[in-house]
Amino acid sequence: MPRMTHQRTESAPPRLRLFSAAATGVLALAAALAAGHLVAGFINVSASPYLAVGNGAIDLTPVELKDFAVRTFGTYDKLVLLGGMALTMIGVAALAGVLSARSTAPGVTVIVLFGLVGGVAVYSRPNLGTVALLAPLASVVTGVAVFLFLHGKAPRIYRQTESGEKAGNSRRAFLISGAGVVAGAGVAGLGGQFISSTRDATASREAVGKLVPARSAPAIPADADFAKLGTPAFLTPNQRFYRVDTALTVPQVRTEDWSLRLHGMVGKEMRYSYDDIRDRPLVERTITMTCVSNEVGGDYVSTANFIGVDLADLLDEAGIQPGAEQLFCTSVDGWTSGTPVAAARDRTRGAMLAIGMNGEPLPLEHGFPARLVTPGLYGYVSATKWVVDIEVTTWKSRQSYWLKRGWAEQAPIKTESRIDSHRGFATVTAGTVRLSGVAWAQHTGIAKVEVKVDQGPWQETTLSHEVNINTWRMWWTEVQIPKGVHQVFCRATDKSGYTQTDARAGTVPDGATGWHSATLTGA
Ligand SMILES: Nc1nc2c(c(=O)[nH]1)N[C@H]1C(S)=C(S)[C@@H](COP(=O)(O)O)O[C@H]1N2
Ligand SMILES: [Mo]
């Protein structure tokens, strides 16, 4: 009898049960990703194949889709991306497992293909060397080994005539092997996470201590905001400051490893260490930053006291050659921006190389150890975080990250206003209703903010104390809301005399326009 079984097996190989087959694929995937993450822990967390593919996907995503993701999921856009990737990979792995019910070839092929994608993604990361390829390699080797091992252990279905006969592979043995793989993958994945966390920049940031500016920003007066009436606080706490960047994992740069190279169309190439910057007399400026992806009424606008040095000082030390047009600034993670040289040198504007924010060293997510901040320009052209290189050049010779993706070369922040006291749809007691909000026109200044109810006349609002023209300004007023459904609008006029247009424009290529409104139902 056993001999017969053997013969039959050779003529028509036994099949893996559906569930075991799928599980084999998924577990091999988990083991592969965990092994890659572990090896990446020793090199650079961005070498983790999963994260590298995610980062690669972000760079390859079409502008419209990225804009949609930022608008729809906000700061969670990256979690959504990673989650979507995980679900897709699990699906493909399960399918590969099922297709491998009789032969291991499809599964092995899929693992190798996944490995190739991971390898290409890691290889194309700008901040990783060739050693980083060890991580996807570890993934492929582990994935194939675990797959073959589990495939061998999985219970099989033989022809009906032999039903009842056991070929030795019990479900129990398979479950135990599977559990072992899950545990191993868990330990490897967490281990990778732990090892990479020991190289993070938190300790370096703590070691910086307090940054004391030689020239502090003027204290913020109490009437700079109407927080009690529903506006944001004038200074945004660091934890609540909006965050926008393409980095899936926050770059970890220790002060001792950081330096800034300033080169290109300069008289003398410069290189600054962290201490070179820190030891200078530091200035502090209150600046409102805005993202070009901010929709009308959006939250991608925040204000902080930035501490650092004048960018114009560094540029003067290097000596800018005639004909220079842009500062092509590169982050440690390869992201780039192009800042107009004229704006960077304009001392009335006060562009900074910042190392501190609201009295602390820059938070890691906001660019520790150093970033650029240029009042009046959207962040994507002026505010490189984790900045390590500034090349003085022309517009023609270099194209920065978002320019390549269809956004504008010149990106002054547009004059905008927002209603904060009421968002979207709200029910109010009919009669006198207090409205409040915020307006900004950085480097020009806000002259007035008006509101109107339905097609009624524009009514001027009370403005908060102006801190400086590079910051936002709060407003409040009272309007009459009769019973029923009514729409309230706001619009700002800046100190150049420009009044916000009601013409709606999307964020691409140089910032949204239109009036913000809220729908109030008087009851
Ligand atoms: N390295 C790096 N710097 C970057 C970005 C980025 O993606 N990578 N995004 C820019 C954009 S679009 C904006 S609006 C600001 C946001 O700065 P914040 O996250 O500190 O608010 O950072 C800029 N600097
Ligand atoms: Mo932005």
Side-chain angles (χ1 to χ4, degrees):
M1 284 300 267
R3 197 165 288 155
M4 271 187 65
T5 311
H6 191 226
Q7 277 169 358
R8 290 214 186 213
T9 318
E10 273 183 348
S11 60
R15 218 158 31 78
L16 265 57
R17 290 178 181 282
L18 192 65
F19 172 77
S20 322
T24 301
V26 173
L27 292 179
L29 170 73
L33 291 179
H37 201 64
L38 177 63
V39 171
F42 292 98
I43 304 165
N44 184 323
V45 68
S46 321
S48 179
Y50 185 51
L51 295 175
V53 170
N55 272 314
I58 289 180
D59 291 350
L60 294 176
T61 307
V63 184
E64 289 75 18
L65 187 59
K66 203 170 331 196
D67 202 42
F68 166 82
V70 171
R71 265 187 286 122
T72 316
F73 306 115
T75 324
Y76 296 108
D77 57 343
K78 291 171 187 128
L79 266 178
V80 172
L81 172 78
L82 286 178
M85 265 171 55
L87 288 180
T88 311
M89 291 174 83
I90 290 172
V92 173
L95 186 69
V98 170
L99 291 178
S100 308
R102 285 188 200 280
S103 137
T104 53
V108 171
T109 309
V110 168
I111 294 169
V112 171
L113 284 180
F114 267 156
L116 277 178
V117 173
V120 169
V122 169
Y123 191 71
S124 26
R125 283 286 93 204
N127 54 331
L128 299 173
T130 324
V131 221
L133 287 173
L134 286 174
L137 188 67
S139 284
V140 173
V141 171
T142 310
V144 170
V146 168
F147 180 72
L148 294 179
F149 166 72
L150 289 177
H151 200 275
K153 288 270 180 215
R156 284 157 161 74
I157 303 174
Y158 292 85
R159 287 280 175 84
Q160 288 114 334
T161 47
E162 283 136 320
S163 59
E165 249 188 88
K166 287 256 171 7
N169 287 347
S170 72
R171 263 181 216 202
R172 190 152 174 270
F174 179 66
L175 282 178
I176 292 173
S177 310
V181 167
V182 170
V187 169
L190 289 175
Q193 200 62 27
F194 174 74
I195 291 161
S196 53
S197 76
T198 60
R199 6 177 88 230
D200 78 17
T202 310
S204 172
R205 178 174 183 269
E206 274 156 17
V208 170
K210 203 166 162 50
L211 294 172
V212 184
R215 260 191 298 146
S216 295
I220 308 294
D223 55 354
D225 66 40
F226 301 129
K228 289 196 182 95
L229 306 183
T231 73
F234 193 83
L235 288 177
T236 315
N238 287 352
Q239 295 76 5
R240 303 196 48 191
F241 201 97
Y242 84 89
R243 176 184 168 198
V244 171
D245 55 60
T246 59
L248 263 185
T249 48
V250 177
Q252 305 289 327
V253 188
R254 299 178 301 185
T255 52
E256 59 266 40
D257 302 326
W258 180 86
S259 72
L260 174 67
R261 181 175 171 226
L262 176 52
H263 63 112
M265 297 171 71
V266 293
K268 184 168 148 229
E269 176 170 331
M270 306 294 290
R271 192 179 274 278
Y272 300 95
S273 70
Y274 189 79
D275 288 340
D276 290 341
I277 300 297
R278 205 205 152 142
D279 293 346
R280 287 167 167 255
L282 299 174
V283 294
E284 183 180 42
R285 297 208 177 95
T286 313
I287 299 167
T288 298
M289 287 185 58
T290 309
C291 180
V292 70
S293 294
N294 194 52
E295 275 191 288
V296 171
D299 284 320
Y300 289 154
V301 52
S302 304
T303 303
N305 280 327
F306 288 97
I307 302 171
V309 299
D310 276 313
L311 185 56
D313 285 349
L314 306 185
L315 297 177
D316 282 354
E317 281 167 23
I320 304 294
Q321 290 175 5
E325 294 168 334
Q326 71 161 324
L327 303 181
F328 187 75
C329 311
T330 307
S331 157
V332 72
D333 68 357
W335 186 88
T336 55
S337 72
T339 312
V341 168
R345 298 189 79 179
D346 175 4
R347 288 182 181 274
T348 69
R349 188 181 289 267
M352 304 171 76
L353 174 70
I355 58 173
M357 190 170 168
N358 291 330
E360 297 173 9
L362 282 178
L364 303 189
E365 314 80 71
H366 294 290
F368 180 83
R371 74 171 306 166
L372 297 168
V373 182
T374 312
L377 304 184
Y378 285 123
Y380 81 101
V381 297
S382 72
T384 304
K385 305 193 269 189
W386 315 287
V387 63
V388 290
D389 190 288
I390 298 179
E391 182 186 342
V392 184
T393 183
T394 58
W395 291 113
K396 248 186 152 167
S397 46
R398 292 283 196 172
Q399 252 204 327
S400 55
Y401 189 93
W402 287 112
L403 257 62
K404 282 191 192 138
R405 291 161 175 80
W407 296 77
E409 174 188 288
Q410 301 292 331
I413 299 174
K414 294 183 178 173
T415 300
E416 283 190 65
S417 58
R418 186 179 78 191
I419 302 169
D420 284 73
S421 53
H422 304 79
R423 291 285 180 107
F425 296 85
T427 304
V428 297
T429 309
T432 305
V433 172
R434 193 151 56 198
L435 301 179
S436 69
V438 55
W440 58 89
Q442 289 94 320
H443 208 53
T444 306
I446 288 290
K448 70 176 174 188
V449 175
E450 299 160 294
V451 298
K452 69 170 185 172
V453 181
D454 300 323
Q455 298 313 310
W458 286 104
Q459 313 169 30
E460 212 167 319
T461 66
T462 305
L463 292 179
S464 64
H465 185 108
E466 181 175 73
V467 170
N468 69 55
I469 59 167
N470 292 328
T471 60
W472 56 14
R473 212 163 162 190
M474 314 294 169
W475 59 267
W476 78 274
T477 194
E478 284 175 346
V479 292
Q480 294 303 316
I481 301 291
K483 277 199 188 320
V485 181
H486 301 278
Q487 213 176 359
V488 293
F489 300 87
C490 68
R491 69 172 189 192
T493 298
D494 65 31
K495 288 184 172 171
S496 77
Y498 169 81
T499 300
Q500 266 183 274
T501 168
D502 67 334
R504 282 247 163 196
T507 55
V508 188
D510 62 358
T513 62
W515 297 333
H516 189 216
S517 68
T519 304
L520 305 187
T521 302

